[in-house]
Amino acid sequence: MRSDNVRCGMQQAPHRSLFHALGMTEEEMKKPLVGIVSSYNEIVPGHMNLDKIVEAVKLGVAMAGGTPVVFPAIAVCDGIAMGHVGMKYSLVTRDLIADSTECMAMAHQFDALVMVPNCDKNVPGLLMAAARINIPTVFVSGGPMLAGRVNGKKRSLSSMFEAVGAYTAGTMTEEEVTTYENNVCPTCGSCSGMYTANSMNCLTEVLGMGLRGNGTIPAVYSERIKLAKHAGMAVMEMYRKGICPRDIMTEAAFRNAMTMDMALGCSTNSMLHLPAIAHEAGVDLNLDIANEISAKTPNLCHLAPAGPTYMEDLNEAGGIYAVMKEISKKGLLDLSCMTVTGKTVGENIADAVNRNPEVIRPIENPYSQTGGIAVLRGNLAPDSAVVKRSAVAPEMLKHEGPARVFDCEEDAIAAIKGGKIQHGDVVVIRYEGPKGGPGMREMLNPTSAIAGMGLGSTVALITDGRFSGASRGASIGHCSPEAALGGPIALVHEGDIISIDIDANKLELKVSDEELAKRKAEWKPREPKVTTGYLARYASLVTSADKGAVLKVPGRE
């Protein structure tokens, strides 16, 4: 046992005295020491129930012969952080979570880990840590929120942001907005659509790091408590068999994850997180393969914000395994990959059944023959940009219009709400990338304002920042290189014509090479927006979005 380093032998007598101080018995000290990483707090709705999950995990570990020990991880609520300086502190926590978990696991020499995350950055941050530490690890999240009900129809957080846009446009009253406010988020859990948190929790199942149902069983269902107990038991079985994260998170597993990302219509943020997790696992996940995978992967699900179904519906329809079973009919998954169950992907999904072909389209009747996410390139984004194709109105898949240029999110929101954006415009928000932001803010406020004001099918938005999984429409993010690095997005002038062809994976600025070269020669880097604290350190180390916005390590650039 790794924990022998802190519990066995005369040299470890001082260490044992500290375990005695914890109230640990001799019997407990002879069992494998299992760290349970708890993301519980009282500010994030998706995390307020994690104390219950953690207690269930502890029971499972103890029943299976381990000694559970809880330690914390931080979490930011993206919804609460949205639209102000707080959003600069969202993506950056992914690395804090990974680093602090590594520190705790290595300092105390745990034999195994159970990760208990739920929201946007905790899942990828802890997956990064799991790959880095590489001891037996199982994931069990807090589960998704139930959809809200407004006027008899299911609604979610994205509906709330769009309601504010509708109020600004004069198409919704204050009383109607209040009705939405009081009903769209009815329970604890990660927000109820296929937003970033649920996308990443679903992908833990696909990667093989979470048990069946981890991505879809609602937070308020007692079934999730049972799942947590089974997760505690499963990690002990992994420990006995010597199965570790890098045995599971292989190149083939990441290709499976990207394939299912396309089938499910996940958040564009997965295109940031999957490469970052792969990086920690020693796998080079180049975004160039995204379009290759998308070209042959049918999109089978249209969950909110892309469609009218929610996570609870996906769960009842058979969950992630049922979608995997459909996709496997085309031979698109590597069924030999190992998982935390100790079985292969193929063995896990063998008995999966699609119980609702309206929620999970059969492979013969997809929403589209290609995947839910597209990676675009062109002279505006030489290193790539990302769009959730499944949430784009058909008429916006190909669009050309004048650029309306803003150097920060706040200026863009003011223009949108001030009625200054017209049908056909292409809103460009720059200097919001990983380094320029710093922190690569999500742009749910401007996309929701555009949708709420009735412009969602005629106005596009391009940014070197990113989008919430709750965003919909022609919202193109991760434009790389970012403006702070002098990327072409920094050279766009007001009124320049921008051409978007999502089906052809093209993003072009209709300006001559000679003119762009002239503008590049005249461009000067901007002074950093933040010069102190964690954000300043982050800005100095972060790489570009096309590389997953991972932090540079000396000697590994």
Side-chain angles (χ1 to χ4, degrees), residues 27-228:
E27 291 81 2
E28 288 174 299
M29 278 192 262
K30 292 176 183 176
K31 296 176 181 179
L33 194 63
V34 180
I36 302 173
V37 188
S38 171
S39 303
Y40 168 78
N41 65 40
E42 294 183 343
I43 188 63
V44 184
H47 290 227
M48 63 181 286
N49 65 319
L50 295 190
D51 54 340
K52 308 290 189 302
I53 303 296
V54 166
E55 288 303 314
V57 171
K58 288 172 68 176
L59 279 172
V61 168
M63 284 191 290
T67 297
V69 180
V70 179
F71 65 90
I74 64 167
V76 164
C77 177
D78 278 22
I80 295 173
M82 195 70 65
H84 55 88
V85 68
M87 182 44 68
K88 294 178 184 288
Y89 287 88
S90 171
L91 178 62
V92 304
T93 65
R94 187 186 71 181
D95 297 275
L96 279 175
I97 291 161
D99 292 349
S100 59
T101 302
E102 175 194 359
C103 291
M104 289 294 288
M106 298 304 294
H108 302 104
Q109 292 292 286
F110 290 108
D111 297 302
L113 295 167
V114 180
M115 307 294 200
V116 187
N118 206 25
C119 289
D120 296 37
K121 308 310 162 306
N122 290 76
V123 183
L126 290 178
L127 281 166
M128 290 165 68
R132 194 184 298 175
I133 300 161
N134 201 36
I135 59 176
T137 303
V138 174
F139 276 69
V140 56
S141 76
M145 185 183 290
L146 293 179
R149 301 292 197 282
V150 179
N151 299 325
K153 295 182 179 179
K154 289 185 178 182
R155 291 289 184 261
S156 62
L157 184 64
S158 56
S159 309
M160 187 70 250
F161 279 90
E162 290 180 16
V164 174
Y167 172 78
T168 303
T171 58
M172 188 176 281
T173 67
E174 184 175 349
E175 290 75 17
E176 288 173 319
V177 173
T178 300
T179 299
Y180 271 73
E181 180 183 334
N182 291 331
N183 290 283
V184 297
C185 296
T187 73
C188 63
S190 48
C191 296
S192 55
M194 189 56 82
Y195 309 145
T196 306
N198 291 327
S199 295
M200 295 309 302
N201 279 320
C202 290
L203 292 180
T204 62
E205 289 191 56
V206 182
L207 281 170
M209 292 298 294
L211 298 177
R212 182 179 196 159
N214 185 52
T216 60
I217 297 172
V220 294
Y221 284 13
S222 297
E223 192 64 28
R224 183 148 296 268
I225 300 297
K226 296 179 185 178
L227 180 74

Side-chain angles (χ1 to χ4, degrees), residues 236-284:
M236 294 307 301
E237 190 63 21
M238 288 180 70
Y239 170 77
R240 283 186 278 270
K241 292 181 177 178
I243 301 172
C244 293
R246 290 196 182 196
D247 301 321
I248 296 170
M249 290 193 282
T250 61
E251 182 176 355
F254 282 105
R255 288 188 72 95
N256 281 352
M258 196 166 279
T259 298
M260 284 296 294
D261 192 315
M262 300 299 173
L264 289 164
C266 290
S267 162
T268 52
N269 282 315
S270 61
M271 293 293 105
L272 272 180
H273 299 321
L274 285 175
I277 299 160
H279 176 75
E280 296 293 351
V283 174
D284 181 17

Side-chain angles (χ1 to χ4, degrees), residues 4 8 27 273 334 343 345 353 379 439 466 484 499:
D4 287 351
C8 291
E27 291 81 2
H273 299 321
D334 187 328
K343 298 177 181 179
V345 169
V353 176
N379 68 346
R466 60 196 179 94
S499 174

